[in-house]
Amino acid sequence: MSGTPASWTPSFRNFLLRFFLVGLLTSLAYALLPTGLHEADPLTFWLTLLVTLFLSPLLWGFVFDDHLRWMRHRRERWELLSDRLRLHDGTGEATDLMLHEISAAKPTLFGGVRITRTDGRSLIARYIPRPRAMAGAITAALAAHRATA
């Protein structure tokens, strides 16, 4: 890889999307379980579902999704250089992961990229706006690095 390095930062929009979807899915599960689909009074069922869809995703988002995780990851910056992947953690510290230490990079659900190391351990770049583009760039850099090695 040559020229300017590729860089990615977490997106607040992706955090909100994940936060709301986790809350919504949890709310739907809890709304459908106690009322039942075929035994509920229709009015009770629809009122429960209405409240579930609009109010409780915010509550369940806080309960089942770690909103403090966003606070830890919001200032991160991932930078792909010619021979390494560098993580700037927002405190002025940088951690390098050499390309020969990376075995794969794959997008995950809700805007993350799982970076698997050759020793089996992995780390996740969270809330990335275009996770497929990041995973593709890392995979391309890995292929180019292996071709020159």
Side-chain angles (χ1 to χ4, degrees):
M1 192 171 182
S2 62
T4 56
S7 174
W8 302 272
T9 58
S11 163
F12 187 65
R13 179 182 165 272
N14 282 19
F15 164 73
L16 286 179
L17 178 66
R18 176 190 162 93
F19 184 83
F20 187 75
L21 284 176
V22 165
L24 182 65
L25 293 175
T26 305
S27 296
L28 285 174
Y30 278 113
L32 296 178
L33 286 177
T35 59
L37 288 174
H38 56 310
E39 297 177 10
D41 172 31
L43 180 63
T44 304
F45 175 77
W46 288 110
L47 284 176
T48 304
L49 197 59
L50 183 68
V51 168
T52 299
L53 288 175
F54 291 108
L55 298 178
S56 62
L58 299 175
L59 169 70
W60 291 116
F62 280 106
V63 172
F64 286 103
D65 195 16
D66 186 7
H67 63 282
L68 296 176
R69 185 182 299 165
W70 166 253
M71 301 300 283
R72 287 191 304 269
H73 294 285
R74 67 183 174 167
R75 290 191 174 101
E76 286 182 351
R77 184 169 48 94
W78 294 85
E79 197 173 44
L80 182 60
L81 303 170
S82 61
D83 62 341
R84 69 191 73 212
L85 182 64
R86 179 172 286 163
L87 168 62
H88 299 274
D89 64 1
T91 63
E93 298 291 321
T95 305
D96 287 340
L97 185 60
M98 303 306 286
L99 288 181
H100 65 83
E101 296 174 338
I102 300 174
S103 64
K106 296 180 181 169
T108 65
L109 195 59
F110 299 122
V113 176
R114 178 176 301 278
I115 301 161
T116 307
R117 296 171 48 140
T118 54
D119 62 4
R121 295 183 294 167
S122 65
L123 57 134
I124 298 176
R126 299 184 188 279
Y127 314 116
I128 301 298
R130 292 177 302 281
R132 286 188 181 138
M134 180 180 181
I138 294 172
T139 303
L142 287 173
H145 186 263
R146 289 181 182 133
T148 60

